[in-house]
Amino acid sequence: MVSLLKHATFRRLYAAHIIHLLGNEFTFIAVIGLLQDLSGSGLSFAMGTVFRMVPYVLTSMISGALVEKWDKRSVMITANLFRGILVSLYFWITDPHYLWMAFLILILVNVCSAFFQPAMQVVIVESVKMEQRLAANSLLQGTSSFLIIVGQGLAAVLVTLFSYRMNFLIDAGCYFFSLLLLIRLPKLTGRSRQEEVSLGKRLREGFRYIFKHGEIRRVLWLQMAERAAGAYYILLMYYLLQERNESLAVFGLMDIPLGIGGVLAGIIVGRWAGRLGREAVDKLLGVALVIEGVAILGLFQLKPFPLMVFSSFLLALASFSAVIITVTRMQQLASPDYLARLFSAREMLTMGTYSASCLVVGYTSEQFGSAAVAWMLALWAVGSGITWLTAVKPKKTKVSSAA
């Protein structure tokens, strides 16, 4: 992984990415505090997720096809400029009558994010060698998870000492700093062939490519199943803030074991997954989903706080391992001509699944409580993992017959 940081393009992209992710952790907990102040409803947490994800999903339908023919550096710079301006506006929303404005800002920020993600994936693939991509994805995910620990820990302290509103201004500053780093990236433009093709045709070609590629469809299905289980996070908000009446700081601190699990996932996958065969990695993905289901059940059924912390750690270890492996698998499977479209479709499908699941979880948690919903999510994750494992076909070996 150290050799990756010697690569000028990846090093600058890595630095810019982790800086704005650190700011995101400050804003995440602050938005929860804002929604709690303005509404106080468990459903508002789910609606916040919907307003964050649905625009992201819809924009992702076209963002990949557009990004393909644009300068990737300019796309990321513009996205961070707008995101920095938008998150700073949260600071001024203090009246419940302006709850709609908080949701509008969520929508616009995530429209920008829908352009940033496929652009970043293209830059990674074009600047990192094939044999180093698993290490690159592991480093990015591991660092992102470490920032959960740092960001949420600092955010919890700031929320306790000051107003959570200060976090919005810190995040805006992180976006602007990230923007300055991205300015030094080399230009990466789309291919001339793609520039001559209309947007509608590129969209049709992209979806046809996915439908015809069975292995890509399988990986996308697994990612969607994992993201459906990931709606447990909305349930955790409701469980801690509503049912247990814990403070916002406690919710922020619960992200620390989540971050530790993600860091270890980055280290373990980066070091060992590349040494395993394809069949072994496929089995690992199925086992990860089963572990997620068991950990979700433990998170909401085990009342002592230390056991909840351990369940959160185990859940993160399994979830982030699956994400790193599947993202790397898609980078390896995809043709460069369809890369941006494939990853925008991935964001659309996975985040669409997550958004719909969060809305269901937010509603049913208020109707039936966290315990019943936790069973539902756990059974889904375990069932999806077992389904994946049964679909893994062992590699056939040729047996030579004696003459």
Side-chain angles (χ1 to χ4, degrees), residues 59-102:
T59 306
S60 292
M61 292 180 66
I62 62 170
S63 62
L66 291 171
V67 163
E68 279 181 336
K69 65 174 187 175
W70 291 345
D71 172 31
K72 313 305 180 294
R73 183 192 65 175
S74 297
V75 171
M76 292 188 289
I77 289 172
T78 303
N80 275 0
L81 174 62
F82 282 116
R83 288 193 290 187
I85 294 171
L86 288 166
V87 296
S88 66
L89 298 179
Y90 279 125
F91 184 83
W92 309 102
I93 301 176
T94 58
D95 193 303
H97 290 96
Y98 293 100
L99 179 62
W100 65 269
M101 188 176 292

Side-chain angles (χ1 to χ4, degrees), residues 152-320:
Q152 291 290 351
L154 290 175
V157 171
L158 290 174
V159 165
T160 302
L161 298 178
F162 309 102
S163 168
Y164 62 79
R165 294 180 181 278
M166 189 62 64
N167 291 8
F168 295 129
L169 300 183
I170 295 174
D171 187 21
C174 288
Y175 275 123
F176 295 140
F177 188 24
S178 175
L179 180 156
L180 294 176
L181 291 173
L182 291 169
I183 288 175
R184 298 286 300 277
L185 281 178
K187 288 190 175 183
L188 292 166
T189 56
R191 305 184 177 199
S192 58
R193 183 189 69 81
Q194 293 170 338
E195 293 178 359
E196 298 170 357
V197 179
S198 68
L199 173 62
K201 186 173 181 180
R202 284 201 304 276
L203 287 173
R204 292 193 298 272
E205 286 179 347
F207 283 106
R208 275 201 299 267
Y209 176 75
I210 293 171
F211 292 145
K212 290 180 180 178
H213 203 305
E215 185 65 15
I216 288 177
R217 290 201 313 271
R218 287 183 69 245
V219 175
L220 282 172
W221 178 87
L222 180 74
Q223 291 178 324
M224 290 168 66
E226 193 280 326
R227 281 297 77 204
Y232 82 89
Y233 202 73
I234 293 295
L235 190 62
L236 184 61
M237 291 184 207
Y238 179 78
Y239 176 61
L240 286 177
L241 300 179
Q242 300 292 324
E243 291 184 347
R244 289 181 60 139
N245 293 317
E246 302 282 2
S247 69
L248 190 61
V250 171
F251 174 74
L253 291 173
M254 273 298 294
D255 269 351
I256 293 178
L258 193 73
I260 294 173
V263 171
L264 286 179
I267 295 172
I268 293 170
V269 172
R271 181 168 296 181
W272 297 105
R275 305 179 187 181
L276 301 176
R278 189 64 162 276
E279 185 182 339
V281 171
D282 273 347
K283 289 180 179 178
L284 182 63
L285 289 172
V287 170
L289 269 179
V290 172
I291 292 174
E292 276 193 55
V294 174
I296 287 172
L297 202 58
L299 187 60
F300 297 99
Q301 300 295 329
L302 302 176
K303 303 302 180 184
F305 207 73
L307 293 179
M308 288 182 63
V309 168
F310 178 74
S311 296
S312 180
F313 162 76
L314 193 62
L315 183 54
L317 183 63
S319 177
F320 287 123

Side-chain angles (χ1 to χ4, degrees), residues 381-398:
V382 171
S384 298
I386 293 173
T387 301
W388 175 268
L389 287 171
T390 56
V392 173
K393 297 178 180 178
K395 203 171 184 180
K396 293 182 180 179
T397 56
K398 292 183 180 179

Side-chain angles (χ1 to χ4, degrees), residues 15-24 80 83 116 171 174-175 178:
H17 185 57
I18 63 176
I19 286 169
H20 91 247
L21 281 181
L22 179 61
N24 283 351
N80 275 0
R83 288 193 290 187
F116 186 93
D171 187 21
C174 288
Y175 275 123
S178 175

